[in-house]
Amino acid sequence: MKDKFTWNPYADQPHNVAPKKERFLMHFHHLGSYFAQIKFGIRDVIPVLKKYYQLKKEMYNHPVEIKSQFAVSISPIENKNEEIIEKLLSLGVDYTLIRVPSWEINQLNKYLSLAKLLEKKKIPFVIAILQNREDVLNSKKWEEALKKIFTAFYESASYFEIGHAWNRTKWGVWDYREYLKLLDCAYKLKQEFPDIKFIGPAVIDFEFHLIHIVLKYFSFDIVSSLLYVDRLGAPENTQFGWDTSRKVCLLKAIIDYSKNKSKECWITEVNWPIKGTGKYSPAAGRPNVSEKDYADFLIRYHILCLCSGFIGKIFWWQLIAPGYGLIDNRDEKKWRLRPGYWAYKNMVNNLKGSTFLRKINHSSNYIFLFKDKKNKYFIVAWNPKGSSIIQFLPKIEKILDGEGNEISPSQKILINSSPKFIYFEDKELPEKIINE
């Protein structure tokens, strides 16, 4: 197979490295790797599932403090870095991530200039190191890239994520054993960088068997997943019976069964591609959604994951991108803040500093109860499949839509696919808050 690596600058990802037929033949060539994965999976499936069902009983039934779990990734833009930081801070987030490609080690200054601005504003950040096929085939090149990146950011970055979405062949890795070699090289460099902290294994999508097998060999400071669910549409939709809530619960079970037990888990990349953005969209067809759905799904995804108590941070990819970002910068002179930007800002404004208390059972609606930092009770509610009117028993003080706009308060509220933030006047709530 050709090892040529070509970058798609519009969608911020590689082009596919080969036609489907050629990729199938290469997968067939690596059949031994898949048998090894099956062996590991069969051996551990029962204890992992036992742990999963234990965690599932606890999920959404105990308080979770919502503190600094919100993060949005950024990329440098020439002469615009100050504006990037301004827009990032306006969201209320206090953590970010910068991708650094291994093939741009001679262009590190553009990333360093952005990092210095983050340092100045005291915003901690992760450096996510991207690989290509040449790094797999040439270990010296990979080691050189790692050394240069570690040296450049060692004093400023909080963590380094080693590798990226390597379970997609377009990112240059064909076999989990090839990724293990990339990791091995990084871990050997710890002798030169003793305080460095690593995140991984950065597996994309719902391919947790690969997370499971990598965690057998390596221990990370933080376990990461690029848990996209965009191909399914809404975050409540299922993949082989697994919705977003069940997926994060299974992920936690896998981590707890590994040598990484008790380690925090971060989702270091997620988004939905946006309809009508053409070549700027990272995906074709069904995954693309309207800007309104993008904003709604963003809130719903964060609540489903963070209120589980199993996810320490979620990094939204990314702040500025025409095909999937919170900000559309196709007009270089005037950036457009999408509905998703305002939805994210509203979500952080309401949830940060609050405590999730419990999920209220309802036949069709998702209803999550919180107490904010001023001890005010509020809920976030939505209906992923349709709409319904709910009558609340405690007196309602105010209602906000997903983007933070106030809605006239009423005891009877239409709940639909757009999350609503509903605040109560009462200092104490009855056990039953919905009149059914």
Side-chain angles (χ1 to χ4, degrees), residues 155-313:
E155 299 296 334
S156 55
S158 302
Y159 297 90
F160 293 83
E161 186 171 51
I162 309 301
H164 180 86
W166 55 270
N167 52 317
R168 292 292 171 266
T169 54
K170 63 185 176 183
W171 286 97
V173 180
W174 280 93
D175 183 318
Y176 80 88
R177 292 170 293 196
E178 293 181 342
Y179 176 64
L180 294 179
K181 289 178 182 177
L182 297 180
L183 282 179
D184 190 53
C185 187
Y187 274 77
K188 284 177 180 176
L189 289 173
K190 276 199 166 192
Q191 295 176 2
E192 297 178 42
F193 304 91
D195 296 323
I196 201 165
K197 294 181 179 179
F198 290 154
I199 298 177
V203 168
I204 194 169
D205 296 336
F206 185 44
E207 297 184 12
F208 291 173
H209 60 290
L210 293 170
I211 295 178
H212 170 68
I213 199 167
V214 172
L215 296 186
K216 288 281 184 182
Y217 293 96
F218 285 92
S219 181
F220 298 94
D221 295 286
I222 301 285
V223 178
S224 69
S225 168
L226 286 61
L227 186 53
Y228 281 88
V229 296
D230 55 318
R231 295 187 181 280
L232 307 172
E236 300 81 12
N237 291 348
T238 60
Q239 180 180 9
F240 310 118
W242 300 85
D243 60 11
T244 299
S245 299
R246 293 187 182 100
K247 286 177 181 178
V248 296
C249 186
L250 179 61
L251 179 57
K252 175 64 174 170
I254 289 170
I255 294 168
D256 281 359
Y257 186 66
S258 73
K259 63 168 65 176
N260 291 261
K261 186 176 181 179
S262 79
K263 295 287 178 67
E264 201 169 310
C265 178
W266 291 0
I267 294 172
T268 50
E269 188 173 302
V270 66
N271 64 39
W272 271 260
I274 296 172
K275 277 181 182 176
T277 55
K279 63 185 180 182
Y280 296 98
S281 172
R286 183 184 174 189
N288 291 272
V289 298
S290 69
E291 290 191 354
K292 183 67 176 71
D293 283 343
Y294 176 102
D296 292 342
F297 292 172
L298 177 158
I299 296 172
R300 287 153 53 178
Y301 183 95
H302 276 80
I303 290 176
L304 290 168
C305 291
L306 297 182
C307 294
S308 71
F310 305 144
I311 302 298
K313 281 190 195 303

Side-chain angles (χ1 to χ4, degrees), residues 11-138:
D12 297 304
Q13 64 181 13
H15 290 289
N16 278 319
V17 295
K20 283 185 178 180
K21 183 179 179 181
E22 209 169 330
R23 297 202 300 271
F24 173 79
L25 290 173
M26 284 302 294
H27 284 302
F28 185 78
H29 177 72
H30 289 278
L31 210 55
S33 168
Y34 302 122
F35 285 128
Q37 293 170 38
I38 291 168
K39 182 184 79 172
F40 275 107
I42 290 174
R43 188 174 65 189
D44 297 335
V45 66
I46 292 175
V48 167
L49 285 177
K50 185 178 179 181
K51 183 65 179 176
Y52 163 78
Y53 285 113
Q54 177 190 332
L55 292 169
K56 191 168 178 285
K57 288 179 182 178
E58 301 170 9
M59 188 167 59
Y60 303 139
N61 287 318
H62 62 89
V64 177
E65 291 186 356
I66 310 296
K67 295 179 178 177
S68 56
Q69 289 99 318
F70 304 99
V72 175
S73 302
I74 57 175
S75 299
I77 300 175
E78 190 174 2
N79 300 321
K80 292 283 189 178
N81 286 346
E82 294 274 3
E83 192 173 350
I84 291 170
I85 302 299
E86 176 194 332
K87 293 291 189 290
L88 180 71
L89 289 173
S90 180
L91 288 172
V93 300
D94 49 19
Y95 224 108
T96 189
L97 176 149
I98 303 171
R99 283 179 170 187
V100 178
S102 66
W103 56 94
E104 291 192 2
I105 54 172
N106 296 321
Q107 303 171 46
L108 289 182
N109 281 342
K110 68 179 180 182
Y111 301 102
L112 280 166
S113 62
L114 185 57
K116 285 175 182 176
L117 287 175
L118 292 170
E119 277 190 277
K120 188 177 177 181
K121 296 291 185 180
K122 297 182 178 179
I123 304 170
F125 61 93
V126 172
I127 293 294
I129 303 174
L130 314 185
Q131 79 289 332
N132 64 18
R133 186 63 184 164
E134 195 177 345
D135 296 314
V136 174
L137 300 176
N138 186 345

